[in-house]
Every structure is written in C-alpha cells, then in structure tokens.
Amino acid sequence: MESILFYLFAVLMLGSAVMTVTSRSAVAAAVWLVFCFVNAAGVFALLSAPFLAILQILIYAGAIMVLFLFVIMMLQGPVLPDERERRPWSRIAVLVLPPASAAVILIAWLARGGVTAFSGAQPAVRGTAEAVAELLLNRYLLAFELISVVLLVAIVGAMALGRRKEELPWK
Amino acid sequence: MELVVSSLLKIAFLLTVILGLVPVLIWAERKGSAFIQDRTGPNRASVLGIRLGGLVHPIADVMKLLFKEDFRPENAHRFLYALAPFLVFFIALLTYAVIPFGDFIRIGGVEYQLVVADLNVGILYVLAIASLGTYGVVMGGWASNNKYAFLGAVRSTSQMISYEISMGLSIIGLMLIFSSLRLTDIVAGQGGAIWNWGFAMQPLGAILFIVAVFAETNRNPFDLPEGESELVSGYHLEYSSMKFALFFMAEYTNMVIGAALITTLFFGGWNIPWLTRSVIEGHAGTILPVHLVIQAVVMGLISLLFFRRAARERDKFGDARDREPGFMGVVTALMALGAAGSFALKPWAIGVDAASIYATLLQVGAFVGKVVFFCWVFIWVRWTLPRFRYDQLMGLGWKVMLPLALANVVLTAIWLAIV
Amino acid sequence: MTATKKAHPYGGKMTFWERTYLPEVFRGMGITIKHVIHNLLHTSEMPTVQYPEEHRSYSPRFRGRHRLMQRDDGSPRCVACMMCSTACPADCIHIVAGEHPDPAIEKFPETFDIDLLRCVYCGLCEEACPCDAIRMDTGIYEIAGTTREEFFVSKEFLLNNKSDGTEV
Amino acid sequence: MVKVTIDGRELEFPEGTSLFDACREARGEALPHFCYHPDLSVAGVCRLCQVEVEGMPKLTIACNTGVREGMVVHTRNERVKTAARQILEMHLINHPVDCPICDQAGECGLQDQYMNHGLYESEVDKDDKVHKAKAEVIGPHVILDKERCVLCSRCVRFCDEVTGTGEMGIFNRGDRAEIGIAPGKELANNYSLNTVDICPVGALTSRDFRFKKRVWLLKSTASICPGCATGCNVRVDHEAGRIFRLKPRYNKEVNGRWMCDIGRMTYRGVHSEKRLDGPMLRGDGDLAPVSWSDLHTFLAERQVGLWISSPAQTLEEQALLAALGEQARTSGGVSTAGRGDGDDLLLHGDRTPNRTGLEWTDLQQHDPASLVALVRETSGAVVVHGGDPAETAPGFLAAVGGRALIFLGTHANATSKAATVVVPMSVWAEKDGLFVNKDGRVQAVRRAVARPEQAVEDWRFLVDLWSAAGCADAPAGLPALRRWLAERVPALNDLDLNALPAGGLAPATAPAGAGGDE
C-alpha cells in the first residue's frame, strides 16, 4: 500500500516537475510546480514526517507559490492560441527527459537494493511536531535563533531597499 | 479493510451533512436577509404547492444551473478555467477530514473514532488546506481573462495571505493550552464545564480567529474579492452554469468549515456542557424520556400552529399552495406522534450499548447544532455589517490582528509558564 | 462629562471599547436579529406585496402609460399640433399630421406613435396638450414586451388604452 | 436732415423718412405692426403702430407719418401701450385663436404682438365670434382661412403693386369684411407664395408646406435658389435631413424680399425618387452596383477624351472639370438646355443657376449639333458631369458609341441610363459651392442636409480624380480649393472667396457692400 502510494507520488512529482520546465506559459509552470510540491508533501508524509509534509504545503505551496503566481499573473496575460505551439526543442526535452530521469531513478533504486530500500526504510528521527520541536527549540536553539536573526536582517534590508530614496530616514 | 469501510462511511456521513447543509444555508441566507430587511424572501417555487418557506428554491436553482449554458470566454485559459471551480470545491471539502464530529461510536464492542483522519498535526493540516484554497480563486480569476475577475482574484489572494497569518497565530495559544496539534485532543480537552471551552480560556484568540475565518471565507464584511459594486462579481464573473455553482457551493462549504473550526477549537466541538459521555450513559433512562417528551410537545405545538393557519387561510391563493399549511401540520403532527409513540419501546429501560449510541448521537447532534448556529452567525453578520474598504481591511489584518495575535501567544505562554 | 461626550458622537476621541468596534458590532447584530424574530412571529404583517396576486394602489396622479382621448365618434381628440412632441424631453412622440376629410376638423394625426422605451413618463405632453387629447391616467405601469417594436405604440393602440386600466 | 426726439433720444434722419423707420432705428426693434411692409405702399389699416407725438391731441400711426424737425415722439409710454393692447383686442375679437392647428404658429405676427404687447384675458365669448370660410383653396399654392385674417391688406397690395395681377381684394364691411379672390379668378401668378410670406397671421398658408412641420422645429441654412440664372437668395428650412420649404432671403441687389413659386419648388428634386443612390457599373448589359474601389480602378484605366460640365454645377466643380480636361477636350454642355420662359420680375429665361460660371472657367457651351460633332472628334471615354446631353443633344449616344460614358450626376435620366459608369453626386442643398448669377454676382450655396449615404461631394470626387491623374498639388479642402479657384478665374483674382458676404459679391462691378439680411 505504502509503496504504491510512494510510486504514485514520485511519478506525479517527476511528471509535474517536467511539465514545470516545459510549460510555455509561466502561469502553467507555476501551477505544475505547486502540484509538484503537493506530491513532495505526500512523499514526506509517507516517510513518517507529517509535520514536514504539512509545512511543505503550508509554506511552499500555500504561501510562497501563491505570491509567485500572483506576480506572474500580474506580469503576464493569458497565453493566446498562437503562442501555445511548442518549440521543437521542448518536444525533444519532453521525449528525452522523462526516460532519462526514469533511468536515473532505476539506477539509484538498483544501487540501493530494490523495492525494500524505499518501502522499508525508517528514518532515524520521526518527523512529528514533537520531534521537530525537540530539535529546533532544544538541541539547535541557538542556530535556530541565529537564523531568525539573519532572516530579520534580510527583511529589514528588503524594506530599506524597497523604500523610496528620499524617504530614507538617515538621509 | 474495516478501516477503509469505516472511513468511507464517515466520509459519506460528512458529505451528506455538508452538501445537505449547502442548499439549506443558501435558503437561510436568502430568507434570513429577507427577514432582516423586512421582506418576505423566496416563497414562489413549489412542488405540488408545497413551498417549505422557500426551501424548494435551492432545488430549483440547482435545476436551473444544471441546464444553463456553460460558456467559456474567448482567450480564457482552457485548462485552468475548467480546473479552478473544481479545485475550489475539492479543497473546501478536504478540510473536513480532520474535524472530529463526535467522540466515538461503539458498535459490537468496537469503538470507532468519529473523525476521518485523526492527524497529529490536524490544526496545521487545516491551515495548509485553507491556504491552498487561494489557488482555485486566483486561477479562476486569471484564467477568465477578465480584468475584473483578475482584480477579484488578486484581492482574494492578498486578503487570504494576510489573514492566514493572524489565523495561524491566533490558535497557537490554544495549542499551548492543550499542548497538542491534534483536533481530537483539543476537543476532548474542552469537555465538562462550559468554562473549559476554548473561548473561555482564549477570549482574544477566539475573537481573532472568528474574524480571520470570516476573512478567509471571503464573507462580508470581508467580501472584497466579490465586491459587486466595483468588481461586478469578482473572480467568478465569467463563470456560468455548474462551474459557477461550484464556486457558489464552495463559498458555503467554506462557511460550514469555518463554523466547524470555530466550534471545534473554541466552542467545545461535540461536547455538551456538563453532560459528558459518562453522565449521559449513566442517566440515559432519564434523559431519553425527557428528550422525547420535549420533542413531542414542541412538534405538537408546531403542528397546531400549522393547522390553525390552514384553517385561517383556507382560500388565500386559490391554487395548490392553499394545501401547504395542512400538509405541514400533518407532517409535524406525525413527528410528534412518533416521539410520543416511541414510549412504547420503554425508553426508561434503555440498554448499555444503546445508551452509548444515544450519547454519541446526542454529541453529534450538539456538534451539528453548533455548526448550524455559527453558519447562521456568518449569515447574520453579512446582513448586518457593511463592507470594509481595502486599506481598512489590510490595516486591520496587519496592524491590529497580527500584533494582537502575537501578544496573545506571548501572554498565553507566560501564563502557562507561571501556572 | 458623559453628556459632553455624547454631544459629539462622531467626533472627538473614542474610548477603548469604541475603538474595538465590538460593542457596536454586537449592537448592530442585535438590531438585525430583532427584525428577524419580529418578522418570524408576525409573518402576516410583512409589508411585502405579493406582486402578481396583489397590486399596490397608486395615486390617481400616477403617470402610467399614455392614452389618446376620443371624440364622441371615436376619432382622436388630437389636432396634431405637435405641442406634445415639442415639449417631450425624450423625443418619443412621433406625429404625422394630415388634412381631415371632415371640413369641420382641419388637422388630425395621420399617425401618432409613442416610443415607450424612450418615454421618461414626465407628463410634459399632458401639460402641453391644448385639447386634453393625451393623458397618462391609465395607471398601467406593467409595460412588458419581447421586442422593441412592441413598445412603439400606434394611434389605434393609444386610442383604446382605457383609463380603467384595461388594455386592447 | 431733421432732428427728432424719440423716447428721449435725439436723432437725425433724412427728410422724408417715415416715422415708422425712424422709430425702428431709435428703438432697435420695429413698432408693433401688421399692415406696414417696407416694399409695399402704406395702408395704415391695422392701427397698431400708433405712437404719441407731442402736440398732437390723438395718437398717430407711425407708418403713415413722416418725420418733421423738432418732433418729440413717445413709443413706450403707457398711453401707447394701452392703445396697442386695445387694438390687439379688436383684432382678436373674431380671430379663432386656433394656433395649435395653424401653420403660422411660431412665426405669426399676431402671436408675437400678443406676447409682446397684448397679454390680456379675452372679454369676448368664444361663441359670439363671426365665423367665416376656412381652408378655402384660392390657387395652386395658397390656401385661405378667412377667419384668421386681420385685414392688413398686405396680400392685396402685393398683388396690385408687385405682380400687378390684382387677384385679391377686401370684400364686405365691418366685422364681415374679408379677404377674397376676385370672382372668376384664382391666385395663380408665379409669385403667389409671397403672399403667404407677408401674411402676418395664418390666413394665407402654403398648400405645399401645410401641416408638414411645425416651424419652430425647422433649422435654416442660407443658400441660393438653383431655379434660374437670377440666383435669388433663399433660406433652406430643413429638419432631420429633409428640406421642407424655401423662403426668400433679403438681398437688395438680387431679389429684394421676394422669390417665385417655381424657385420655391426646386427643393422637391432633393428628395426625388429618381436620385441615384449608389455607384454603378455596366457589366453584362445592365448597370449593377459596384464598390468604390472597383469604380476607381475602372476610372483609372480609362483615358478620358472629353469632359462635359453643365451650368447646374458650382463654379468650383466647373473649374475643376476644366482643369481635369486640360489634356483633353472640354465642353460646357448643351447651350439650349435649361431654357424656359422668364418674366420681368425675378424669373429668368435661363433656368440654370450658373451659366456665367461656364464662361468664367472657359468651358464653352455647344449647341446640340456641335456637341455631337465634338464627341465624334474625340476618342476615349466621355465624362458627363450633370446635365442630360443624351436628352438635349440628339445623336449624342450614337456619337459616343461603344466608348465608356461616365456619368457623374444626381438624378436618373437618359444619360445615366445609357452610361457605362454612374457616380451619384450631391445636389445643391447637400454641398458647398459658388454660383455666379446672370449679373456676374458670386453667391454661395451651403450644405443644408446630408447627402444620400452613397453619394459623394462633387468637388471632392473631382479632386480625387485629379490627384489620381497625377496632379500633386490638387487643392485639399474647401478653403484651398477656393483660393485655387480665385487664382484660376481672372474675374475673381482679387477676391477672398472664403469670406463672401451674405449677399454675395459682384466682381464685375467691384466688390460692393450690397445686400445683406433683412
């Protein structure tokens, strides 16, 4: 059951990743990328990391990609029929890339020892909320806080750059 | 296999309740707004003269929408245009998976949890799915290739992102108090006295959450994405037929989710104050007869009212509609008789298993009742408050609700550390 | 102190509770639910008019669809002076005048058409008419049709538009 | 010069000026009047223009009084006003006051005087009125309503003094006095509609215009009558693209205040059913509608050998045609066409408005035989702009033979029926242009109504042809065209044709400030 789901998610994830790259329309590409993220979340959930899975959807699919899509849609109008035809190279990419990636997966799979390597693998740490909290808020608290300071610096910098020049408080 | 069957049954139950609630809510919206504005509201559509106070109208609406022309604007993005309404509706339904609508039901000695998926990150799941809801709206708005629809989508997106943050932060206090992300734990923690309910422990969080839920569902006073006066009707402007109906139903489905979440997180979920499961099971022989008597008396009174009206308005319309009060009187009288007649089954001598099921039913009923009440609150608020201006909306979201939610988190944490 | 505060309900500084808006929100919800309950208990007092079955009565001065007055012999009282079409701000009255076969009547409308879709029901034609030939006292306000042509009504139609509201 | 004080203003007038004219000048508006008319003798019957002259015991009528040195006149005092009001009341005793059905309403002297000077409640019972004949047909153009008449006798004097026919008179006495036609006669002279113009009330109305339109809805455009070489100044009264009547426009040098009935009816041709309504090309035997682009292609392929204009075209069009024909032969059309009987008043024997223009633009007219000969001499297509040479010059079509006959015209006629190409043009009321009358006076016709959808403005079409034929500096726009015209025609060399006075100009006698509106 779990391995069926895993392969389902994996194939969908790879397929949507290919579609992301080959889509002519930036909006369609973004939508495919969201689908890719959702499938990645599925894989995370199968790997006993529900917290990570939910955060993948909540943050990447739900927040970041929405903003991306938002900006893309603002900048790009709908694709007109005459723009929809594909370029020859993209057709080649569609033909070549899926088999290539399938081959890579196959090689990796064989190298790791077949089906059991994936379905039977249990991570050392279970990805529940408690486990993540233990790691972030106890063991690596300092690093976690430092990273938040770095992010704060980034936010302040973005705000400073985003302001109009004459309004800069120190000028 | 048993897991699959029981899950399917639970899903079927939830879908029945929710999809059944949608037309009722549409009716309540129309009738409620009418009564608030001193109008009669819908009362025309009838089946053999039976109008059920306008409840036939949603059915007629569905028939109308089914048979309407399903057009697609020129230069719309074919795929996304078709996908958007399904996505909106699908995502709206997904959230129900983690909402516990009852404690458990014991059948044949086996206890079944009354929740489809009891995730240990249930609250986060709710938030994650809710954040995906934006996609349907933004896709629909963009793929329609209409500037008003797109503006509606843009507004919706920014509004949802803004209020999602306050929404997430407003329930962190609750998570801290119940020290769980699992919704069943949170509901179970609210059992017993009414001051155990979330809104009593987290009054600020409750208000913030309710406001944020209103904003997330795009309901008045936060219905700027629809903004009839400036955006024609917002992101679903170019949709017709069942595609439009899906958007419309998704709005009401979201409303039911919102009500269910408010109930689950802050109003005790399926809990009945003081009447815990053990109390109900222990005194089922008293509670059930009282329950039946109340039901019989209330239904009897209602049927009397209908009969009185039937006598008074014998020839009001001169057509099939004149038979309606009499029919309703007969139906309600039968319900009263049914309640009275069940005394023949000796409800005071109820068995242990039956008492357990009765307790479950009461709890599920309490949950549904609370959800329906909060749905009515959605409608009630919509027809009371005016719409926000866009800058006011953003100001409220970022400058008022976000700091308040953060303060709520900090204060709750400090309080928990002290206690 | 409180009295002076109340004197400026929309000005001055708001108190903390006023700034949360919550009391006013609940007050507003109280008002609306009061309406709901009152209307639920008094359905028969609802001011709604059940339109096709019931009609609201209009003042006799209500300007409905036009009619042309008849002489005793049924011919139009109108003398085709065009005062109405001159006065008409919507330019909706179209008259073609002609010589009447009866020498006692000099001028009469060969055609007298009103474009009801253009008409603004201002009543200036009534006031301009020197012969009291056009009136808007039919009380007919349900003017419906499926084509534009149906609203372009002729002299014959207008002559048979009765003041009691009956139509042709 | 004599000094007169009118309403406190001291003014000087030449001796012999009537007090009426003096008062008009002093007041800025005429005294109330019905019978007085500047072009007719003084009758003094309406008694409305009474003024107070100091030293005279009673009020006196201004129209029949000459100015004298030292006269002190009051025209606005209470006594004069009361007199006017009382006289008006007398006039209205037997007047039916049927303004709503009266065609004169809106331009009625009685209405105007009543609004300006009367404004009283009538003391006469409606049923006491003396009734007289109504709607009596007294001539081919005029209808008489005796009830409405105020017996000003203008029409009688017109028929006596201007036309000299004397059909009309006042019959009976007292309140039974009425205007009528002399027994056995009818008002059939060619100037009968002028009686309608001068009738201050609705007693005489035009049969042609009767009930067609209320006058206040009409819009007026100053133009020139195209009916004959006299070139009477007219006012084209039109509404919503339709002309309803022509009225004379005062021009002392040309027509004074009159015009003839024949001229008044010329507007009928504008809305004739015979108007050409689209470009047509002869395909397989029959004329069939053709698109403008196909038409231009056809014209571009043809070498034109002969350009024939007509005296009905404007000066600009004739000059353009002459310019187009410089590489080929030109003609002014058939010299015998458009001839009729004239009279010694206004109607000219030459029933075309612009034969002088042909002379000025060097387009020689030909008699029928020489025109046919000219056609035979030339080779290539023949262009006919206006006129009907096929009808007026027998043998014309035979002479054209199998060559292309290009007809630029307004109405279907023998030439258009035989033409290879028919281009619908505009009539005089649909375009701007200049006519030169028999005395060499240049006068402007102005566009009053829209031309049929498919028709073109003649000069634009000719300019386009000229540009297509290779003229790089063909004038674009009417002002440029007129500047070009002034350069080309010697008689016009010193004139600014874009600023013609309302009464036109007569360059032969040097620009004189003659004419002008009344």
Side-chain angles (χ1 to χ4, degrees), chain C residues 75-92:
Chain C
S75 63
R77 206 187 268 179
C78 172
V79 294
C81 69
M82 318 254 182
M83 293 297 158
C84 49
S85 64
T86 303
C88 181
D91 201 11
C92 74

Side-chain angles (χ1 to χ4, degrees), chain D residues 452-473:
Chain D
E453 212 172 306
Q454 287 276 338
V456 289
E457 203 165 7
D458 302 46
W459 67 264
R460 279 186 205 279
F461 186 78
L462 294 173
V463 165
D464 286 349
L465 279 188
W466 202 18
S467 307
C471 176
D473 53 352

Side-chain angles (χ1 to χ4, degrees), chain B residues 50 69 76 93 99 133-134 158 193 249 251 274 276 308 319 322:
Chain B
I50 309 304
E69 185 194 352
L93 286 175
I99 292 175
T134 321
S158 42
M249 281 158 73
E251 178 181 335
W274 293 289
T276 56
R308 198 179 67 158
D319 56 28
D322 289 331

Side-chain angles (χ1 to χ4, degrees), chain B residues 32 34-41 43-44 207 309 313 317 321 376-377 380-381 383-385, chain C residues 22 24-25 28-30 32-33 35-36 38-40 43-44 46-48 50-54:
Chain B
F35 277 2
I36 283 172
Q37 296 166 351
D38 294 343
R39 294 183 285 114
T40 310
N43 66 347
R44 289 277 149 185
I207 289 170
R309 188 159 167 193
E313 299 175 354
F317 297 103
R321 280 176 282 173
W376 164 248
V377 172
W380 184 7
V381 168
W383 297 102
T384 302
L385 299 183
Chain C
L22 287 176
E24 288 301 302
V25 166
M29 290 173 72
T32 45
I33 201 73
H35 278 260
V36 172
H38 179 268
N39 287 324
L40 270 174
T43 43
S44 52
M46 198 77 88
T48 307
Q50 299 293 328
Y51 166 60
E53 291 94 13
E54 293 171 33

Side-chain angles (χ1 to χ4, degrees), chain B residues 263-282:
Chain B
T263 307
T264 307
L265 294 173
F266 292 100
F267 291 89
W270 39 258
N271 282 307
I272 307 169
W274 293 289
L275 285 178
T276 56
R277 172 168 279 273
S278 56
V279 173
I280 297 170
E281 283 180 1

